[in-house]
Amino acid sequence: MRPTTAPLLDVSFLLTGIHNRTGQVVLLHTHSPVTGERLCIAAVGAQDVSFRRELAFTPEAVDRLRRAPLDSDVPGLAMLANLAGHDAPLREDLRQIRSAQVAITESPLPGWILISVPVRRLPGAPAVPGAEPRVVASVSILTPKREQGDPLVAYGRLLRNTVHAPTESSVVVPRPRSAAPRAA
C-alpha cells in the first residue's frame, strides 16, 4: 500500500485488504467527544447474505453496531484506552488493551465477536514529525463466535500489524521553517 494524500481512499484500501485476507466483516469506528459514543463510519464485507440474515433477525444489534457508548465494546474501548494521556490512571481492562493494542469482546450481534485495534492516524493523513498522534478511530473484525482460540489471536495480530504499517508510513509534513534571509 502506497501512502497518498487521500486518507479516505487509503482507509478504503486498508479495510478492503483486511476483508480480503480474513473473509470477515471489517468495521471502522470513530468517536464523538461531545456524546462519548463510538460511531461506525465504514464497513466492508457487510453485504454477505448470511451476515445480512443475522442482522435482519436482530435490529437492536444493528443500532448497537452503528452507535454505542465508548465503554460498551471493544471498538470504543480500543479508542478509550488510548485517548487518556500516558500518565492518566486507567481501569485494569483499559491498561491491558493499551498494552496489547488489541481487544476482543462479544459483539452486540448475538453469536459474533469483535476484535479491535486503535488507529492513531488515518493511512495517508499528514503527520507532524515528533508529534504523538491521537487516536482517531478503531478498526474491527466482526467474526462468528465459532472462530475461537488461534484464529482470533491471528486476526488480532493481523489487525495490529496491518493498521500499524500504513499509519507509520503516512505522509510526513515537515514543520514550516522560518523564512530564510535573502542575500541582496
Side-chain angles (χ1 to χ4, degrees):
M1 247 182 269
R2 183 176 67 73
T4 71
T5 56
L8 295 180
L9 182 59
D10 281 353
V11 168
S12 175
F13 286 136
L14 176 70
L15 299 179
T16 301
I18 294 168
H19 170 70
N20 290 342
R21 290 184 69 184
T22 64
Q24 305 296 336
V25 176
V26 181
L27 307 170
L28 177 68
H29 290 89
T30 190
H31 66 91
S32 169
V34 175
T35 64
E37 294 176 316
R38 58 122 179 105
L39 310 165
C40 185
I41 58 172
V44 175
Q47 67 280 5
D48 177 74
V49 175
S50 62
F51 177 69
R52 303 294 285 181
R53 190 175 318 123
E54 296 259 356
L55 290 177
F57 290 119
T58 54
E60 66 281 352
V62 175
D63 292 338
R64 295 284 295 185
L65 283 169
R66 283 189 187 135
R67 182 181 190 159
L70 274 175
D71 62 355
S72 66
D73 54 26
V74 293
L77 290 171
M79 290 183 279
L80 190 59
N82 290 279
L83 284 171
H86 286 286
D87 298 333
L90 289 176
R91 299 183 328 223
E92 182 58 28
D93 61 335
L94 296 177
R95 260 197 318 272
Q96 289 174 358
I97 291 168
R98 180 186 278 179
S99 174
Q101 291 296 294
V102 64
I104 300 172
T105 63
E106 291 195 15
S107 163
L109 185 61
W112 292 71
I113 292 176
L114 280 164
I115 306 157
S116 301
V117 297
V119 178
R120 294 204 176 277
R121 184 176 60 247
L122 294 178
V128 176
E132 174 77 24
R134 291 182 45 88
V135 169
V136 296
S138 65
V139 173
S140 305
I141 292 175
L142 182 60
T143 184
K145 205 175 210 175
R146 66 180 177 269
E147 300 278 348
Q148 295 193 9
D150 291 341
L152 295 182
V153 171
Y155 287 159
R157 285 185 184 137
L158 171 72
L159 270 177
R160 217 177 32 215
N161 295 338
T162 305
V163 169
H164 180 74
T167 57
E168 288 300 310
S169 61
S170 292
V171 178
V172 175
V173 177
R175 292 193 174 134
R177 296 182 190 173
S178 57
R182 292 185 174 175

